[in-house]
Amino acid sequence: MGSGIGAAALRTARAFLWTALVLLALAALWEGYKALGDATGGRIPGTGLDLPIAADDQAMPHIADIIGALTEPARRGTDTSLAVYLFNEATITFREALLGLAIGSAAGLLLAVGLRESRFASRGVMPWLIASQTVPLVAVAPMVVIWGGKAGMPSWVAVTVLSAYLAFFPVTVSVLRGLNSPQPVHRELMHALAAGRVRTLLLLRFPAALPFLFAGLRLAATASVVGAIVGELSAGTGGGIGRAILTSSYYYSSAPENLYAAVLVAAVTGIVLVQVLRVGESLSLRNRSTAG
């Protein structure tokens, strides 16, 4: 038991370390691109062509300036730093995304079971599920916001619905694949033991689908954060990192680093949610990993 928890903690620490290394690599690439632009006058060396993205401080602030902006006051006449302000807004988005992830995952799980157990549902519903993911979220968001407003619901409900809308599909596809993953010999064994469809589902298919479920949840987690941010932009909520990004975009010409700081915090929000799920996955599957 203790060794399993220790192994799970080690895997979690390793995941955080790799995330930090990737962020450092991206920061080095960013600064290297800016240095190249400064050295060549914004042109591709040896070609005379302009770089695809301007490397000046207006288009690409230095990483140090972005981080430094987090220590500056969020607004004039206030002592609240931008980091504290963005953190508070990110917690709002995190709660909305987490609730949307829970609702979307539950819906995805039920849909996967229905599609697995009903051939009619598989043939009739799956094409519509796929079609639902081809509709741009920016087109769906205003409709959901209007429907929620007509029903007298608070704006965060529409945000949560949009978050769940993006979260359910990855879970549905992943769990459905997991439910169909047991080997024929295992299915034949359950049949030989006279296990019905429900017992086979509970004792064989669900355990086999657990790793697939967590894979779908990680994809759904990032999607839920995106859905929450887009929902905040469309619903006109008073808070959330989406609104902070929109506000920062209004003042981009005078403080571009503030917008990048808001986007950075939004990305960290998604990373934190995924890492929380990774911890849950490590704890849930530690016995299986130890047995393997």
Side-chain angles (χ1 to χ4, degrees):
M1 182 69 175
S3 60
I5 296 177
L10 181 61
R11 287 193 295 270
T12 301
R14 189 181 296 118
F16 276 104
L17 177 60
W18 277 110
T19 300
L21 290 177
V22 169
L23 291 177
L24 289 175
L26 291 176
L29 183 63
W30 180 282
E31 291 297 332
Y33 186 90
K34 282 185 63 65
L36 175 65
D38 292 340
T40 62
R43 298 182 180 276
I44 301 175
T47 65
L49 300 175
D50 292 335
L51 290 171
I53 301 175
D56 58 82
D57 292 341
Q58 183 72 22
M60 295 179 62
H62 285 286
I63 299 295
D65 293 336
I66 297 174
I67 296 176
L70 293 171
T71 64
E72 298 295 327
R75 297 184 181 90
R76 293 180 180 177
T78 180
D79 295 331
T80 303
S81 67
L82 182 63
V84 173
Y85 165 72
L86 292 177
F87 175 79
N88 291 335
E89 300 303 306
T91 56
I92 297 174
T93 304
F94 187 87
R95 291 195 300 268
E96 294 165 341
L98 189 60
L99 181 57
L101 177 63
I103 296 173
S105 299
L109 182 60
L110 292 175
L111 279 170
V113 173
L115 293 173
R116 169 63 191 84
E117 297 300 319
S118 172
R119 184 171 299 180
F120 172 78
S122 180
R123 293 178 177 177
V125 177
M126 181 57 81
W128 291 103
L129 294 180
I130 296 174
S132 71
Q133 301 303 297
T134 64
V135 180
L137 187 62
V138 292
V140 177
M143 294 187 290
V144 174
V145 171
I146 291 173
W147 293 340
K150 292 291 185 181
M153 297 179 179
S155 58
W156 66 264
V157 174
V159 175
T160 300
V161 169
L162 290 169
S163 179
Y165 171 78
L166 286 187
F168 87 92
F169 188 75
V171 175
T172 300
V173 173
S174 297
V175 173
L176 181 59
R177 182 183 176 190
L179 293 175
N180 290 324
S181 65
Q183 299 296 322
V185 62
H186 297 149
R187 299 197 300 268
E188 292 171 2
L189 176 61
M190 297 299 292
H191 180 72
L193 295 174
R197 298 178 67 175
V198 175
R199 289 179 63 86
T200 301
L201 185 66
L202 294 177
L203 299 179
L204 177 62
R205 296 192 184 276
F206 271 154
L210 195 57
F212 295 85
L213 169 62
F214 279 105
L217 284 174
R218 289 198 298 271
L219 294 175
T222 57
S224 67
V225 173
V226 172
I229 292 175
V230 174
E232 290 167 351
L233 295 175
S234 302
T237 58
I241 198 65
R243 298 300 299 178
I245 291 174
L246 184 61
T247 301
S248 299
S249 68
Y250 293 150
Y251 304 99
Y252 181 83
S253 58
S254 59
E257 60 277 0
N258 287 2
L259 177 59
Y260 281 98
V263 172
L264 178 62
V265 172
V268 170
T269 302
I271 292 173
V272 169
L273 186 54
V274 171
Q275 295 301 334
V276 169
L277 289 172
R278 188 179 292 276
V279 172
E281 179 181 7
S282 298
L283 294 176
S284 300
L285 301 180
R286 66 178 184 272
N287 293 332
R288 179 179 302 196
S289 300
T290 302

